[in-house]
Amino acid sequence: MAVDVRWATTDDAEALATVLCEMAAHYRQAPLDHGRATATARKWLGDESPAYPHFALAFADGKVAGLASVAIAHPGIDLERLMFLKDLFVREDARNAGTGRALLSFLAGHCLREGIGRIDLTTEDWNEGALRLYDRLGAERHGRKVFLRLSGDALRRTL
């Protein structure tokens, strides 16, 4: 199966929503309304700067197969930008067919072309498929960092 990857545009809002809905189910979240997800995806994609795209979509045989959600940051210490891979998700019927690797290859190519020095990412400790993929690609387990989150009440208390 040939996998094509590209940065998502507003024309891809429906495809992005399809993957987001499946991703919510995979991570045992409340089901997403596809119409609401499409409207939200269209807004996100319309607000993005072309210099800093946020979603890469993979397509196999013309059907959306997966996504990578990223942010590009300026860490400052080493004067080199970094890409943070927030989510990499492959739809169930496209797994084990090279879709995840194609998404990561696309992101790596973008980083190398744009002078972005690294990709930082996290994954759940139970996600053995993702851990195997990242291990095969040579990702280093970086035990010196602790993943933390401010949300909900903690986010409001931070005001």
Side-chain angles (χ1 to χ4, degrees), residues 51-71:
Y52 291 98
H54 296 166
F55 293 98
L57 290 176
F59 294 86
D61 302 325
K63 183 179 168 189
V64 66
L67 70 75
S69 171
V70 302

Side-chain angles (χ1 to χ4, degrees), residues 6-154:
R6 68 173 187 262
W7 291 117
T9 68
T10 53
D11 292 339
D12 295 313
E14 176 108 12
L16 177 57
T18 295
V19 180
L20 291 171
C21 288
E22 192 169 317
M23 191 167 85
H26 175 78
Y27 287 107
R28 300 174 186 98
Q29 302 298 311
L32 293 178
D33 174 76
H34 194 273
R36 181 171 172 249
T38 300
T40 301
R42 189 171 286 111
K43 180 184 180 333
W44 289 342
L45 294 169
D47 289 347
E48 288 180 0
S49 161
Y52 291 98
H54 296 166
F55 293 98
L57 290 176
F59 294 86
D61 302 325
K63 183 179 168 189
V64 66
L67 70 75
S69 171
V70 302
I72 298 171
H74 299 269
I77 295 171
D78 57 8
L79 300 180
E80 209 170 45
R81 293 178 297 165
L82 69 89
M83 177 181 282
F84 179 71
L85 176 57
K86 168 62 177 87
D87 287 301
L88 184 123
F89 181 78
V90 175
R91 298 180 73 195
E92 190 169 345
D93 61 355
R95 291 188 186 139
N96 300 309
T99 305
R101 184 174 184 80
L103 282 159
L104 287 164
S105 177
F106 176 82
L107 297 177
H110 179 79
C111 288
L112 292 170
R113 282 188 306 279
E114 300 298 322
I116 298 169
R118 70 182 195 254
I119 298 174
D120 285 350
L121 57 107
T122 64
T123 191
E124 284 76 14
D125 58 1
W126 55 262
N127 194 339
E128 293 179 19
L131 290 167
R132 280 193 307 273
L133 171 63
Y134 299 137
D135 285 343
R136 280 195 310 268
L137 294 174
E140 304 166 27
R141 297 203 184 188
H142 204 292
R144 295 178 300 210
K145 302 262 184 187
V146 175
F147 179 72
L148 302 166
R149 177 177 294 150
L150 290 170
S151 64
D153 289 339

